[in-house]
Amino acid sequence: MSHSSNPFLNLNYEPAIESLADYHDVVTAAEYPMHRLRWRNDDILPTLGLDSSQVSDDDFIEAFGHFRAVRPFLALRYHGYQFGEYNPQLGDGRGFVYGQVRGVDGEFYDFGTKGSGRTPYSRTADGRLTLKGGVREIIASEALYRMGVKTSRCLSLVETGEELWRGDEPSPTRSAVMVRFSRSHIRFGTFERLRWIGRADLTRKLLDHVLQIYYSHIWGKENQDDIFYLELVKRVATLCAQWMAVGFCHAVLNTDNMSITGESFDYGPFAFIPTYDPRFTAAYFDHAGRYSYANQPAACYWNLEKLQDPLSMVMDKDNMQSSLLKFKDFYRDAYCEIMLKRLGFSSLSEPETEELIGATLELLSAAQVIGYNQFFVKLRQSFEPNWREDANKIFSSHDWELNDEQIILLDKWRVVYHQLLIRLPIAELENIAQQLQQANPTIIFLRPKIEELWERITTDDDWQPLYDAIAQLKT
Ligand code: AMP
Ligand code: MG
């Protein structure tokens, strides 16, 4: 037990994955020439039973910059399919699990590092994270979190004063180390490695661990394994639907980036789509568009199907395959639910749902002058209960420059929306405004916006615009 007054060092860390022994290597953290706290996520502290006034910046730096240890640091072992090719040379190459704790919400969490130094899995790379990479991961996770996506979040980002060389950033570029707060770093690829080394026993052991901790409501049931896989299919389909509805392109949906808890994590070259263009591809190196915006459901399905290979060492493959066939329904249900909320409704009949979402996507796909997320922000900002009186009042003051075809589609959208408003009891119109506000934050982190924020950091070391932009998510 530590006698430090640092609350992070006194959390009740549990040796969860550590006690299993077969899925990690113990590693050490890098030492850095500088430690400057650039981001502390005070929002997360209550989940840890902490209050922000109890935790100083120095506490963050001591725990998550100097990495004062409470338990051994665990670089996790995993493999994965990267862009369709199996890669047995993966594993935590620049990170480790710092500790695992149960939150006051009852969920179990990892503190996982990124940029904390070389490990047996670094290959020729430096084990470091660029400051810009850290900033981008903060932005992705905070924006997704705000929009209701089940995602990891960044607990801290400490700038570390090294010069890094990267092909995709003007170099030398600044360095940082991040701590990610997530539901688990056990990936599909953690299981894939066990198949590669032919260890059914370790697969069983890991699956039991996953069930006990992350699917505890299923653990011990007669068909626990089958129920688990079905629930994983549902969680992943739901997550994917969330990405699609909020216009997020993850960019690297390799099986080593798929969490066994169905949580979204690991944000590299991600982007929010500027407009509704299904072919939009976020990673410059994804030449074939394998992980384009529209391909994300198929990629998630493929990953779930591949996961059957290792799992079939310990459970029935046919049952998994029939569960996987439900992906489409899970996906559609979740997608419709979120899209309706973004459009202001909590529930509509099935034909109404289809008509409204159909009209919206038809408009946004044809009218590329309307930004995807901008459309929902505009809806939030323009909506008035008096739209119910007359379809022409809907978006009457928009400034989109539309051609004739697009005007027809907007008019069609107006008619659909107006019909729904008419059918709604007057008392419920209030809920629409509230729902729109809840579902559609006014700040959109398109790439130019992120670059603008980064520009302020690189040129003037001015972090305030970033903090303000993230604070704007709360409105
Ligand atoms: P990612 O594309 O970030 O999911 O990483 C894929 C693999 O490359 C993982 O095994 C990472 O740990 C490893 N990796 C990525 N960047 C670095 C780096 N700078 N140093 C060491 N390993 C890295
Ligand atoms: Mg990764």
Side-chain angles (χ1 to χ4, degrees):
M1 195 66 215
S2 158
H3 294 288
S4 165
S5 62
N6 184 336
F8 289 130
L9 302 181
N10 290 311
L11 292 173
N12 187 22
Y13 295 104
E14 296 179 31
I17 191 86
E18 178 193 331
S19 68
L20 301 188
D22 298 295
Y23 312 95
H24 69 260
D25 293 82
V26 173
V27 296
T28 54
E31 288 181 20
Y32 306 106
M34 181 180 108
H35 305 84
R36 196 157 292 162
L37 186 63
R38 295 303 192 184
W39 169 251
R40 49 178 282 171
N41 200 333
D42 285 0
D43 254 16
I44 292 172
L45 298 179
T47 309
L48 298 169
L50 301 174
D51 183 291
S52 60
S53 66
Q54 291 172 275
V55 187
S56 68
D57 287 3
D58 285 343
D59 292 333
F60 271 93
I61 289 170
E62 183 187 24
F64 307 135
H66 290 285
F67 291 104
R68 181 124 174 240
V70 178
R71 301 212 62 90
F73 300 151
L74 317 174
L76 300 185
R77 301 170 180 171
Y78 57 84
H79 293 173
Y81 283 93
Q82 299 189 304
F83 290 87
E85 297 289 326
Y86 194 76
N87 185 349
Q89 312 238 298
L90 292 171
D92 280 340
R94 52 169 165 174
F96 51 72
V97 173
Y98 173 91
Q100 299 185 282
V101 291
R102 191 158 299 277
V104 300
D105 57 359
E107 298 227 26
F108 200 63
Y109 290 99
D110 282 9
F111 293 177
T113 66
K114 190 171 187 177
S116 51
R118 291 177 49 80
T119 76
Y121 306 101
S122 304
R123 288 169 286 170
T124 56
D126 60 8
R128 302 303 201 264
L129 170 68
T130 68
L131 183 63
K132 188 178 186 185
V135 165
R136 283 176 44 83
E137 179 147 344
I138 292 170
I139 290 172
S141 47
E142 289 305 299
L144 291 175
Y145 176 79
R146 165 64 178 84
M147 291 196 273
V149 178
K150 181 171 168 182
T151 178
S152 70
R153 296 174 80 186
C154 299
L155 179 59
S156 63
L157 186 71
V158 174
E159 184 172 357
T160 49
E162 296 178 321
E163 290 189 340
L164 304 180
W165 296 84
R166 291 289 185 273
D168 53 3
E169 283 184 39
S171 296
T173 187
R174 291 155 74 175
S175 68
V177 66
M178 185 185 92
V179 172
R180 181 193 286 149
F181 188 65
S182 87
R183 259 89 168 192
S184 171
H185 285 80
I186 299 173
R187 309 143 190 267
F188 289 16
T190 315
F191 283 91
E192 283 161 345
R193 169 179 164 268
L194 303 175
R195 161 86 187 204
W196 180 267
I197 62 175
R199 294 292 298 268
D201 59 329
L202 295 185
T203 305
R204 185 69 256 169
K205 189 163 108 169
L206 186 64
L207 184 56
D208 284 343
H209 173 81
V210 166
L211 286 164
Q212 276 177 59
I213 298 189
Y214 306 106
Y215 293 80
S216 55
H217 55 293
I218 291 171
W219 171 243
K221 285 197 178 165
E222 197 179 335
N223 301 324
Q224 56 169 19
D225 297 345
D226 297 332
I227 305 173
F228 153 74
Y229 185 80
L230 178 63
E231 182 163 329
L232 179 65
V233 169
K234 185 175 186 180
R235 289 190 192 186
V236 172
T238 303
L239 171 64
C240 188
Q242 290 170 340
W243 288 334
M244 297 301 283
V246 305
F248 184 73
C249 192
H250 181 289
V252 193
L253 291 180
N254 294 334
T255 58
D256 52 303
N257 286 339
M258 299 291 292
S259 166
I260 203 70
T261 65
E263 181 181 66
S264 177
F265 81 123
D266 208 356
Y267 305 115
F270 76 87
F272 285 93
I273 55 171
T275 60
Y276 188 75
D277 172 8
R279 290 160 309 174
F280 178 87
T281 305
Y284 67 89
F285 48 83
D286 185 3
H287 305 294
R290 181 182 175 93
Y291 300 135
S292 68
Y293 172 71
N295 281 352
Q296 293 186 115
C300 289
Y301 184 98
W302 191 90
N303 291 341
L304 283 162
E305 189 160 33
K306 281 287 168 201
L307 181 64
Q308 293 176 12
D309 291 342
L311 292 181
S312 63
M313 287 196 291
V314 299
M315 57 188 279
D316 187 83
K317 193 163 176 139
D318 292 340
N319 289 347
M320 286 193 271
Q321 193 54 31
S322 50
S323 293
L324 183 57
L325 296 179
K326 304 204 169 107
F327 181 95
K328 224 175 156 181
D329 288 341
F330 289 141
Y331 173 82
R332 200 198 41 229
D333 290 351
Y335 181 73
C336 289
E337 188 184 322
I338 309 161
M339 289 297 279
L340 280 193
K341 286 188 175 148
R342 300 206 72 186
L343 290 160
F345 297 93
S346 45
S347 77
L348 293 175
S349 72
E350 218 171 288
E352 286 172 332
T353 302
E354 239 162 65
E355 195 181 21
L356 177 59
I357 297 176
T360 305
L361 296 184
E362 200 183 357
L363 169 65
L364 294 183
S365 147
Q368 294 280 312
V369 292
I370 308 177
Y372 179 74
N373 274 302
Q374 279 96 336
F375 175 80
F376 295 98
V377 173
K378 187 84 179 162
L379 178 59
R380 164 182 166 163
Q381 292 170 336
S382 326
F383 176 81
E384 298 280 354
N386 74 9
W387 281 11
R388 196 173 192 270
E389 295 158 17
D390 179 355
N392 290 317
K393 290 191 172 157
I394 297 177
F395 282 135
S396 56
S397 63
H398 77 78
D399 52 8
W400 302 313
E401 287 183 25
L402 304 177
N403 63 27
D404 292 347
E405 182 214 0
Q406 295 160 349
I407 288 170
I408 291 169
L409 291 173
L410 178 59
D411 284 340
K412 185 174 157 196
W413 190 90
R414 285 181 166 125
V415 170
V416 171
Y417 205 77
H418 184 237
Q419 287 300 312
L420 293 171
L421 294 181
I422 290 176
R423 276 177 237 152
L424 209 65
I426 289 194
E428 281 182 36
L429 287 177
E430 284 303 316
N431 297 343
I432 293 200
Q434 216 174 5
Q435 185 60 64
L436 289 170
Q437 191 175 341
Q438 175 57 39
N440 304 308
T442 54
I443 177 140
I444 307 161
F445 288 101
L446 297 186
R447 280 197 171 140
K449 180 74 197 171
I450 298 177
E451 290 302 317
E452 181 191 312
L453 296 169
W454 175 246
E455 198 55 32
R456 297 294 297 273
I457 292 169
T458 49
T459 54
D460 309 318
D461 210 26
D462 183 2
W463 289 74
Q464 202 54 46
L466 173 70
Y467 302 148
D468 292 345
I470 290 176
Q472 198 185 326
L473 282 170
K474 293 219 167 119
T475 61

